[in-house]
Amino acid sequence: MTKSIIITGAGRGIGAATAAAFLDAGYRVGLIGRNEDTLAATANGHPNALVLACDVGVPEEVEASFGKALAEWGRLDVLFNNAGRGSPARTIDETDIDDWLDVVRINLTGSFLCARAAFRIMRAQTPQGGRIINNGSISAHVPRPGSSPYTATKHGVTGLTRTLSLDGRPFDIVCGQIDIGNALTEMAMPMTKGVPQPDGSIRAEATMDVTHVASSVLHMAEMPLDANVQFMTVMAPKMPFIGRG
C-alpha cells in the first residue's frame, strides 16, 4: 500500500527538500503552504504530489486541505508539521505585538491545527494510527538573542510533541520531533554572512546541506508504529549550539 504524508511549509526550504525525498521514496505527498506557485514548483508535475494551498493558521483552510487529501487518498500515514516563521531580532520590549501574534499563529497554532486534523483522520481510519513529526528547531532548547516569539513557540511545539505522544498511545498515533540547526536554506543564508551572538559579536556560523534534514525525516517516518524517534537533533556540528551562551 502506498503511504501518504502531508508536509506543511512545503513551498521552499526544508519543506520542499523533504517533499522531494518522500516523492522519490514513492509516497503520496500533500503540499501545504500559502503560495500556490511555490507549491506547484515543489510538485514539479509529479503524479503523487497534491497541492493543498492554505494558511496553517486559519482553521477552516486547514480542515479543507486535510479533507481534500483524505478524499484523494482514503487515509493519512504521516504529517510533517514544518511551517514556521521568524521575526526581527529584538528584545521583548521592542518586539512588535503583531509580529508576536503572527509567529504564534503560524508556528504554534498552525502546528496544533494541523496535528488536530491529522490526529482525527488517523484515529478514525483502518488500520488505525499514524505518525506526526514536528519541526522543533535548536530554539526548542536554547534561544538566539532577541528571539522571544520564535523561541517561545518552539518550546511550545515541544510541549505539543510530548502531549501528542501521550494522547496518541491508545490509537497507535506516534509523535516525534526533529530539532534542526543551520540547514542551508534561504531562511538560513544570513548565517553564512554573520549573525548576532550572545556575547554581542557578529559572526558567521557553519551550515549543513538541507538534504540531511529530509533524509532524517524520512528515516523517522519509515519506522513501524511500534517504534519511534522521540527527539532527533540534526545540525551543523560546528554551529554554536553546544556551549551556546
Side-chain angles (χ1 to χ4, degrees), residues 11-62:
R12 55 174 59 89
I14 289 167
T18 303
F22 276 82
L23 288 168
D24 287 346
Y27 277 69
R28 295 175 294 189
V29 180
L31 308 171
I32 282 184
R34 285 184 282 189
N35 189 315
E36 192 160 357
D37 290 338
T38 60
L39 296 177
T42 299
N44 196 29
H46 198 291
N48 283 345
L50 179 64
V51 171
L52 302 167
C54 91
D55 184 329
V56 296
V58 178
E60 298 79 10
E61 293 188 18
V62 170

Side-chain angles (χ1 to χ4, degrees), residues 7 12 20 22 35 43 59 61 78 103 118 136 151 179 183 201 207 227-228:
I7 298 172
R12 55 174 59 89
F22 276 82
N35 189 315
E61 293 188 18
V78 186
V103 172
T151 300
D179 296 322
S201 64
T207 59
N228 187 38

Side-chain angles (χ1 to χ4, degrees), residues 3 27 77-78 128-133 172-176 217-230:
K3 289 186 177 181
Y27 277 69
D77 296 293
V78 186
Q128 191 179 59
R131 187 180 307 273
I132 296 169
I133 301 170
D172 285 331
I173 299 170
V174 299
C175 183
V217 176
L218 182 60
H219 167 71
M220 295 171 75
E222 288 280 77
M223 300 191 80
L225 294 180
D226 61 357
N228 187 38
V229 176
Q230 187 66 64

Side-chain angles (χ1 to χ4, degrees), residues 55-164:
D55 184 329
V56 296
V58 178
E60 298 79 10
E61 293 188 18
V62 170
E63 291 296 324
S65 292
F66 277 76
K68 182 178 177 181
L70 182 61
E72 183 79 15
W73 303 330
R75 68 177 287 110
L76 176 63
D77 296 293
V78 186
L79 164 66
F80 180 32
N81 249 334
N82 169 68
R85 60 152 291 189
S87 60
R90 294 174 181 149
T91 54
I92 194 167
D93 57 312
E94 296 175 338
T95 297
D96 187 86
I97 292 174
D98 287 338
D99 279 340
W100 166 270
L101 292 173
D102 200 50
V103 172
V104 171
R105 185 181 74 85
I106 297 298
N107 296 9
L108 189 54
T109 301
S111 293
F112 163 80
L113 291 172
C114 292
R116 181 175 184 268
F119 196 103
R120 181 187 296 116
I121 292 170
M122 292 170 179
R123 181 176 182 175
Q125 65 195 6
T126 304
Q128 191 179 59
R131 187 180 307 273
I132 296 169
I133 301 170
N134 293 327
N135 182 341
S137 165
I138 292 296
S139 291
H141 300 271
V142 290
R144 287 186 175 278
S147 66
S148 55
Y150 188 78
T151 300
T153 58
K154 291 303 185 176
H155 276 66
V157 167
T158 299
L160 181 63
T161 297
R162 291 188 165 125
T163 303
L164 290 170

